[in-house]
Every structure is written in structure tokens, then in C-alpha cells.
Amino acid sequence: MVEADLLVGADGIHSTVRGLVFGEEREHLRYLGFHTAAFGFEDPEIHAQVADQFCLTDTVGRQVGCYGLRDGQVAVFTVHRTPDPTLPDDARAALRREYGSLGWIVPRALAACPPPEEVYYDQVAQIELPSWSRGRVTLVGDACYAVSLLAGQGASLGIAGAYVLAEHLARAGSITTALERYERALRPVAAEKQQVARNGVRWFVPDSPRQLWVRRAALRLARLPGFDRYVAGVLAGKSTAVVTQLTESARSLDHTTP
Ligand SMILES: Cc1cc2nc3c(=O)[nH]c(=O)nc-3n(C[C@H](O)[C@H](O)[C@H](O)COP(=O)(O)OP(=O)(O)OC[C@H]3O[C@@H](n4cnc5c(N)ncnc54)[C@H](O)[C@@H]3O)c2cc1C
């Protein structure tokens, strides 16, 4: 038995704390229509090809990304469209089936794919909760506002959420007030990133040859000064210095709240 003033659930998109306190996952999980997977493998030749770069296939409906890690491994991530959220029994077999016809380094990556139990495989989804706290239990990160890998900002938002929560806990007079301020400050940022991810789905994984062509053209144009900001806005949403802004808002709350 542990006695504590506050329980913080930072246990990811399939949060057990959320399930125990806020209700079943299916009430809060929004499936975005994709499966994703990730794994690592060793191949010095491929590592040399992709080191210091994030390389993606230029394909319709599915995408494989590769980059070289500092320890010499090649990290692979995959994402493909499917209306069925049901996960396969054998992740490796599913990956070989889904991506087996792609070229480039994909056949070598699939051949080196580790056993299914060592492959990360999940739905691409977001989490939406009417409230992030209940009594003395609160959530942070993917557990309460997963934006999905389509937003590319989930890790930063998790860290920002922990920072903002800690900041308010340190400053507010009571835990209840701190939890309210934490959610008030961060919820609009998380909601905007979730919306951007949903809007940007077809940019991330084009759904037709035409869309693929448009993406290629946009990426070429993105090299032009001025247009780069537009493309970044479409893909990442409003430019935010999240922690700085939220820290400032925490400070201003301190000054305005008696
Ligand atoms: C393929 C892929 C690529 C991504 N790429 C990016 C990217 O490029 N940039 C980006 O910002 N985000 C990316 N994301 C999203 C990012 O990974 C998440 O948003 C982020 O990791 C969420 O952090 P978190 O701490 O909330 O949850 P997690 O990182 O999921 O951490 C939760 C932790 O809780 C632990 N845990 C769960 N249950 C229990 C339990 N009962 N007891 C003890 N521990 C428990 C888990 O083991 C885990 O360590 C990607 C996600 C995926 C799937």
C-alpha cells in the first residue's frame, strides 16, 4: 500500500491508469485508419546509406521510414492505411505481406525483421478525454492527449505536459487548482496538434497517385524561402515554443490569481 497526494498516469496510449479511473479505452480512442510498426536491425551497408538522414519511401497508401541510430542499428518504422483496427496475430508476417512488394532497402529490412514479439505494432490513434483529471488522479502525455505519430510531436508534448504539470503543482496553492491550470494551459495546444495530424493525413501517407504527385511538388517548393513556412504549418501546425509559452502563462496566472 502506497499513500500519496497525487497519482500521475504517464503510461502511454493504452494507459492502465486511464482504464481503471476514467473508463474503457474504446470510449476515448479515435482510430485514424492506419497501422504502424517499428523495429531495429543491424546492417552496416544500409546504416551507411541512411545515417544522419530520415529516409522515407515515396509510395501510395503505405510508407516505410529508415534512419541510422548512433549505436549502428537501423531503425525502421512503417505505416499503412487499413480501415480495420484489428491487430494481426503475427506482426512480422503482416509486415512482410503489406510491404513485401516495395523496393529500395525494404526487402533487406523485412528479411532482417526480428521475431514478432520484438516488433512494435499498433493502431495509429488519438486519445480524447473530456477531462484529464479525476479527483487526485491525473494523466499526462499519450495517456490523455495522444496526437499520434502523424503529428510527429507526441514526445515533445509528453515532456511539455510533464513540465507544465510540475510547474503548476509547484506554484498553485492546491493540487485541485494546479490540475485545472495544467489542463487549461495545455489542452488547446494538444487539441490543435490532434487536428493538424488529422488534416495532414493525406500529406503523411498519400492516398492516391495524384496526392503523391502533389506531395512531391510541395516538397520541392518547400525549398523556396517563404513557402517552407507554409509547408511546415500544414504538416506541424502553429509554430509553438510550447514550454516557453506555457511557462509564461503559468507565471501570468500567478500574478492574476489571488
Ligand atoms: C512508430 C512511431 C513513431 C513516432 N515518431 C514520433 C516522432 O518522430 N516524434 C514524436 O514526437 N513522437 C513520435 N511518436 C509518438 C511518441 O512516441 C509518443 O507520443 C510518446 O512516446 C508519448 O510519450 P508518453 O511518455 O506519453 O508515453 P510512452 O512513450 O508510451 O511511455 C509510456 C511508458 O509507460 C510504461 N508503462 C505502461 N504501462 C505500465 C505499467 N502498468 N506499469 C509500468 N509502466 C508502464 C511503458 O512501458 C512506457 O515506457 C511516434 C510513435 C510511434 C508509434
Side-chain angles (χ1 to χ4, degrees), residues 158-173:
I159 293 165
Y163 183 92
V164 173
L165 175 61
E167 184 87 359
H168 284 300
L169 283 169
R171 288 163 187 272

Side-chain angles (χ1 to χ4, degrees), residues 140-227:
V140 71
D142 273 13
C144 59
Y145 51 77
V147 292
S148 86
L149 72 119
L150 302 180
Q153 299 176 66
S156 345
L157 277 176
I159 293 165
Y163 183 92
V164 173
L165 175 61
E167 184 87 359
H168 284 300
L169 283 169
R171 288 163 187 272
S174 77
I175 289 178
T176 311
T177 307
L179 297 182
E180 282 168 13
R181 290 179 181 177
Y182 151 64
E183 182 166 343
R184 202 186 318 149
L186 198 62
R187 182 181 274 278
V189 179
E192 194 255 345
K193 299 301 167 211
Q194 289 185 326
Q195 186 63 52
V196 167
R198 295 197 293 270
N199 293 348
V201 158
R202 67 186 203 290
W203 291 100
F204 197 83
V205 186
D207 57 0
S208 66
R210 185 181 167 279
Q211 183 60 33
L212 184 63
W213 183 88
V214 173
R215 185 174 79 164
R216 279 183 196 151
L219 288 175
R220 271 192 213 107
L221 283 172
R223 294 185 198 139
L224 300 177
F227 205 77

Side-chain angles (χ1 to χ4, degrees), residues 47-112:
H47 189 273
Q49 268 187 54
V50 298
D52 303 326
Q53 297 177 69
F54 181 48
C55 300
L56 292 169
T57 60
D58 192 27
T59 37
V60 175
R62 58 200 168 145
Q63 187 156 274
V64 177
C66 273
Y67 50 95
L69 300 178
R70 283 193 208 111
D71 67 0
Q73 287 222 23
V74 180
V76 177
F77 98 94
T78 71
V79 58
H80 68 268
R81 288 175 183 272
T82 169
D84 184 0
T86 315
L87 299 180
D89 294 332
D90 183 333
R92 182 168 62 181
L95 290 178
R96 288 179 174 166
R97 201 168 49 242
E98 194 61 44
Y99 300 93
S101 61
L102 295 184
W104 183 47
I105 59 177
V106 177
R108 264 166 83 164
L110 290 177

